[in-house]
Amino acid sequence: MAYLDNIFGPTSDRLNKAMNLATERQGMLMKNLANVNVPNYKREDMDFNLQLKEAMGGDGDEIDMAFQRGKARNSENDSSLRLDGNNVDVEREVMSIAETEHRFNALTELTSRYFTGLKSVIREGR
């Protein structure tokens, strides 16, 4: 990616990081849904907007640093929805999964448009 950054700027790297964040969040939400019937399981999630903001305003390694600090992930250990200690709410998880899917699709469209624009420039606007 450093080679692409030197040629095209940081946009492709930022789009890549945003898509990786969306993928990571989707995995966490799917894990929550898979463990809906596991006693004492505590859901995990990340603040996508906060992480994306840090990634866009940072020096490029913000996402890696955030994951290492554990800031990108959070677990709600204090709450419980059922007597068995599990705190996964199926409706909340499904809604979050749909939101993340829409976000990923929007990022995919942005990436496609970005590279279409580059292709047009390379072909001298033809």
Side-chain angles (χ1 to χ4, degrees):
M1 290 310 271
Y3 181 72
L4 289 176
D5 286 347
N6 291 336
I7 296 173
F8 304 118
T11 303
S12 63
D13 188 45
R14 290 180 175 170
L15 287 169
N16 182 40
K17 287 180 179 178
M19 291 177 79
N20 285 342
L21 265 177
T23 301
E24 181 75 22
R25 183 170 191 235
Q26 191 78 348
M28 293 170 88
L29 296 171
M30 296 301 279
K31 180 180 169 188
N32 292 339
L33 203 53
N35 290 301
V36 68
N37 292 322
V38 175
N40 296 316
Y41 178 79
K42 302 298 180 191
R43 75 179 299 271
E44 294 179 351
D45 199 356
M46 71 168 64
D47 188 339
F48 183 86
N49 293 330
L50 174 66
Q51 296 308 312
L52 186 61
K53 185 177 178 180
E54 285 185 13
M56 296 305 156
D59 62 358
D61 292 327
E62 287 292 322
I63 291 179
D64 294 334
M65 291 171 53
F67 280 118
Q68 289 173 359
R69 290 189 310 253
K71 189 175 177 183
R73 297 176 182 224
N74 63 25
S75 180
E76 299 172 6
N77 291 328
D78 298 335
S79 64
S80 180
L81 293 176
R82 299 189 321 229
L83 293 176
D84 65 0
N86 188 308
N87 68 351
V88 176
D89 180 4
V90 174
E91 288 183 23
R92 180 179 176 183
E93 300 305 321
V94 170
M95 188 175 71
S96 297
I97 288 169
E99 173 194 333
T100 305
E101 184 177 333
H102 285 293
R103 186 168 286 162
F104 189 84
N105 289 340
L107 289 167
T108 302
E109 181 66 26
L110 284 173
T111 303
S112 175
R113 289 182 184 186
Y114 174 72
F115 282 106
T116 299
L118 288 177
K119 191 170 143 183
S120 176
V121 168
I122 291 170
R123 291 183 177 175
E124 298 175 6
R126 290 184 232 159

